[in-house]
Amino acid sequence: MPHLGSAVSALGPVWLACAACAAEPAAPLAPVLASQTLHIDRAVPSRPALDLLFVVDSSPAIAPRSAAVAARIAALVTALDRSPGGLPDLHAGVVTGDPADDGVLRALPDGARFVRSAPRLDGSRDQSIDGALGDALGALATSGGADAGATPQQPLAMAARALGQPANAGFVRDAAALAIVVISAGDDGSPGAVDGYAGALAEARPDATQLMIAAWAGGAANGPACAAVATPRLDQLLARFPDRSSATPLCDAGADATDTATPALIEQTDQVALGAPCVEVALADRDPARDGTQAECAVTLATPDDAVVIPACDAGRRAPCWAVTPYPSACMAAHHERFDVVHDGLALPSATRVIADCIAE
């Protein structure tokens, strides 16, 4: 299965595919021809929203690795942002494995319990914090000096608790994919059997494709600051979610923290077409001297709350833009063309529709 390179491969191919399956295939375009105008009104496929929960070790054992943990979290967010589909509509929060914290998400400086970042139609983002998202989450995960938490840590119990904790209201969304990343210097010390916690996490997402679990824990020794530790309970949890889980050593000899443990949560193609987007009528060509059909279209991207006019994908135009392109292998009618909305690495809001009117021959 293709992946996004070394910086986004360490947590396994399942993370590459999980959210791509959330968008249902669109039906072929149903053009409406009136007064020589082709009218299109279709949903634009988009990746699902993502709720990203970091469960961090707050015991003294994690302190020597705090800088590496912060760097890994920042690298994960950067990889998501640079992936072909762009950063999704994201909720991200941090909870500790200390039972004294009762699964309550760590508070940001403004008192908010989680970071929110959502794409806008114009390519900007509606974000709840200023500055780099990855840096803010890395700092949040390592705040407090990582030296006050109880031993043993209970990451499994606190992950399950966090999902139902009233203080975390609004963090988990019904329609979002859920990714849980456990970061631990040692094994889980939660009371009871691992299967009980696995069941609780599975109930959080009845659609199995929308739940992912990863562990950055244990692993090979990397000098006196980081001894090798076995993690049988965490291993057992991951084994309960085959094809939806992955493990990366926290202490990985010779590994660069920015190049490891950075999952590609979602993979999409650079150019997202509208299902089977064949244009069933011949469009007027405003510049026959150029290759292909230079269509004349008025195109809008719209959500229930916003709308923007997007340009044709001419040279120098930034995404999102639209294009009428040859597609002879699947489009038999007219000039064997399809109508595409080109994301080019830009995430779009989940309820986006494209509304287009093109002049036909």
Side-chain angles (χ1 to χ4, degrees), residues 260-290:
T260 62
T262 307
L265 298 174
I266 302 167
E267 181 182 70
Q268 287 184 328
T269 57
D270 290 338
Q271 181 169 298
V272 180
L274 303 178
C278 297
V279 176
E280 301 295 338
V281 298
L283 299 179
D285 191 347
R286 59 183 172 83
D287 189 356
R290 294 173 59 185

Side-chain angles (χ1 to χ4, degrees), residues 1-226:
M1 180 175 291
H3 55 80
L4 302 179
S6 61
V8 294
S9 62
L11 288 192
V14 58
W15 292 65
L16 293 173
C18 73
C21 58
E24 295 184 358
L29 294 177
V32 177
L33 194 60
S35 301
Q36 297 301 108
T37 299
L38 172 67
H39 179 73
I40 297 169
D41 185 344
R42 298 292 302 171
V44 179
S46 62
R47 65 171 46 176
L50 175 67
D51 298 333
L52 177 59
L53 175 65
F54 294 99
V55 185
V56 299
D57 189 333
S58 62
S59 72
I62 200 70
R65 301 297 293 176
S66 59
V69 167
R72 285 185 173 191
I73 290 173
L76 186 157
V77 176
T78 297
L80 279 175
D81 191 31
R82 293 178 179 175
S83 66
L87 189 67
D89 182 342
L90 182 70
H91 284 184
V94 176
V95 68
T96 76
D98 188 345
D101 292 335
D102 197 27
V104 176
L105 294 169
R106 277 185 166 172
L108 292 148
D110 64 358
R113 291 292 177 186
F114 57 90
V115 173
R116 177 181 52 78
S117 181
R120 296 190 180 102
L121 287 175
D122 63 2
S124 64
R125 295 192 71 86
D126 178 11
Q127 191 160 292
S128 62
I129 63 169
D130 296 325
L133 179 61
D135 291 344
L137 288 170
L140 191 64
T142 55
S143 64
D147 59 1
T151 301
Q153 293 277 292
Q154 299 182 14
L156 300 190
M158 293 305 101
R161 175 60 176 150
L163 299 181
Q165 168 59 256
N168 302 337
F171 173 64
V172 175
R173 296 166 289 180
D174 290 341
L178 174 64
I180 300 171
V181 181
V182 175
I183 305 170
S184 180
D187 198 16
D188 173 67
S190 303
V194 171
D195 282 353
Y197 298 112
L201 297 181
E203 288 178 2
R205 282 296 174 272
D207 180 351
T209 65
Q210 298 301 291
L211 175 64
M212 300 147 285
I213 301 177
W216 304 348
N222 191 16
C226 197

Side-chain angles (χ1 to χ4, degrees), residues 282-303:
L283 299 179
D285 191 347
R286 59 183 172 83
D287 189 356
R290 294 173 59 185
D291 291 338
T293 300
Q294 309 306 309
E296 192 77 47
C297 301
V299 182
T300 299
L301 291 181
T303 68

